[in-house]
Amino acid sequence: MTATTASTASAPASAGAAPAHAPASAPEPAALHGPVLQWFHEHARDLPWRRPEAGPWGVMVSEFMLQQTPVSRVLPVYTQWLKRWPRPADLAAEAPGEAVRAWGRLGYPRRALRLHAAATAIKERHNGDVPKRHPQLLALPGIGEYTAAAVASFAYGQRHAVLDTNVRRVYARLVGGTEFPPGATTAVERRVARELLPDEDAEAARWGAATMELGALVCTARKPDCGNCPVATLCAWRLAGHPAHAGPPRRTQSYAGTDRQVRGRLLAVLRDADGPVPQQRLDAVWHEPVQRARALDSLVSDGLVEPLADGLYRLPQS
């Protein structure tokens, strides 16, 4: 999910009074596991990809869709996707353009092409079953370190450090004493994440999901609800008095008037069409010809749009 703009207040209103001194050291991992896992047991959302029937493929699909996209937008698309393509081979059997069409308005549609490529590789290399081993997952097209760790952990109950935006923010505050983590994941963050993992595989997998949920529901970017945090008394950031973010300014991503918006409008026309679309129909979606041409060229370059003869365009077929 996309990080949001930092609060400029020195402490959130819900945080309550905090001691004037910072902790002498980071909290012991064992002291954190019990409270966080119990909180997760009591407050975890009932999401379809967390249910046993989702299986490894359902977990993988959710991880692709949830990148920089809120749960509320993912849920309906996820449900329709798994209904249409319950196994990787089902998706691999269709043209990649159908994945782009079904992606709808989730945003960042290249994820749809990457998921289709991963499904094709799973069919060809692993007999249609999502592989269990982390190196095999990492070798799939479109899968990076985070997604490989998340699938291995959440689908197969393995012990891996899962570091998404929410988890990184929880660790930055809880252990690092800072409001936000660095812009890009660092080696120090990865080391801390490994050190915080419970020893047992199943508990470590649940810890990854629990810290992710804690960041999504309680330790949020804009208004952290410290009063309902199960480990608030151990949080280095709270104990230090909630020091404000001292790094580079954090900005929300703009959308209106950008090439991203133009790309989205062009793709919407192609998704809604039953066949190839003439240039004139695409020209009608945006008033500025230079920006429109640039956006269309970028869609072609990304493999999201396929140009044909006579000025026609369609979603990719191969």
Side-chain angles (χ1 to χ4, degrees):
M1 299 182 186
T2 305
T4 51
T5 305
S7 169
T8 57
S10 60
S14 59
H21 61 280
S25 60
E28 289 294 326
L32 302 173
H33 296 157
V36 171
L37 292 174
Q38 181 60 36
W39 173 88
F40 184 63
H41 175 74
E42 296 172 359
H43 298 281
R45 291 169 291 181
D46 180 19
L47 300 174
W49 44 86
R50 289 178 177 164
R51 299 169 191 163
E53 59 266 27
W57 174 236
V59 171
M60 177 177 285
V61 170
S62 75
E63 289 300 333
F64 271 79
M65 290 185 174
L66 287 165
Q67 294 169 22
Q68 303 185 27
T69 309
V71 167
S72 59
R73 290 180 59 195
V74 166
L75 281 170
V77 180
Y78 173 90
T79 300
Q80 290 301 314
W81 190 284
L82 268 295
K83 183 178 181 180
R84 181 174 178 179
W85 298 307
R87 290 182 52 81
D90 300 318
L91 175 59
E94 298 222 35
E98 288 306 301
V100 177
R101 191 189 310 278
W103 199 257
R105 299 185 182 278
L106 280 183
Y108 303 98
R110 278 179 291 180
R111 292 180 292 169
L113 291 181
R114 291 166 183 161
L115 185 51
H116 184 277
T120 302
I122 290 169
K123 177 184 177 182
E124 294 172 350
R125 304 176 195 172
H126 303 286
N127 298 316
D129 295 321
V130 176
K132 292 183 178 181
R133 296 179 54 232
H134 182 271
Q136 292 175 321
L137 288 164
L138 199 56
L140 294 174
I143 300 253
E145 172 59 36
Y146 164 77
T147 304
V151 173
S153 181
F154 301 151
Y156 294 115
Q158 298 174 15
R159 187 177 184 272
H160 293 282
V162 180
L163 277 172
D164 80 337
T165 301
N166 287 315
V167 177
R168 293 179 63 222
R169 185 171 59 253
V170 168
Y171 288 172
R173 293 172 178 172
L174 186 60
V175 177
T178 59
E179 186 177 13
F180 294 109
T185 305
T186 66
V188 172
E189 287 182 280
R190 297 188 189 282
R191 176 181 57 77
V192 169
R194 290 192 297 269
E195 291 173 351
L196 289 175
L197 280 176
D199 292 334
E200 296 186 4
D201 285 3
E203 189 172 281
R206 193 161 179 80
W207 167 259
T211 49
M212 192 176 295
E213 192 79 333
L214 188 66
L217 300 183
V218 174
C219 195
T220 58
R222 290 186 177 179
K223 294 182 179 180
D225 186 8
C226 300
N228 285 312
C229 176
V231 286
T233 58
L234 300 174
C235 176
W237 183 55
R238 178 179 177 274
L239 291 172
H242 303 95
H245 177 62
R250 298 168 58 85
R251 299 182 178 90
T252 56
Q253 292 182 329
S254 60
Y255 182 73
T258 64
D259 285 6
R260 279 187 58 215
Q261 184 181 25
V262 184
R263 282 164 57 100
R265 291 192 178 184
L266 293 169
L267 274 182
V269 173
L270 293 165
R271 283 198 308 267
D272 293 340
D274 294 328
V277 172
Q279 178 78 54
Q280 293 86 337
R281 284 182 60 188
L282 297 177
D283 289 345
V285 307
W286 197 255
H287 63 282
E288 210 290 304
V290 174
Q291 187 179 25
R292 185 180 63 238
R294 182 172 66 241
L296 181 58
D297 287 345
S298 71
L299 288 171
V300 172
S301 178
D302 289 343
L304 290 163
V305 172
E306 189 174 302
L308 304 173
D310 301 322
L312 298 175
Y313 294 87
R314 68 181 181 186
L315 295 177
Q317 299 299 303
S318 60

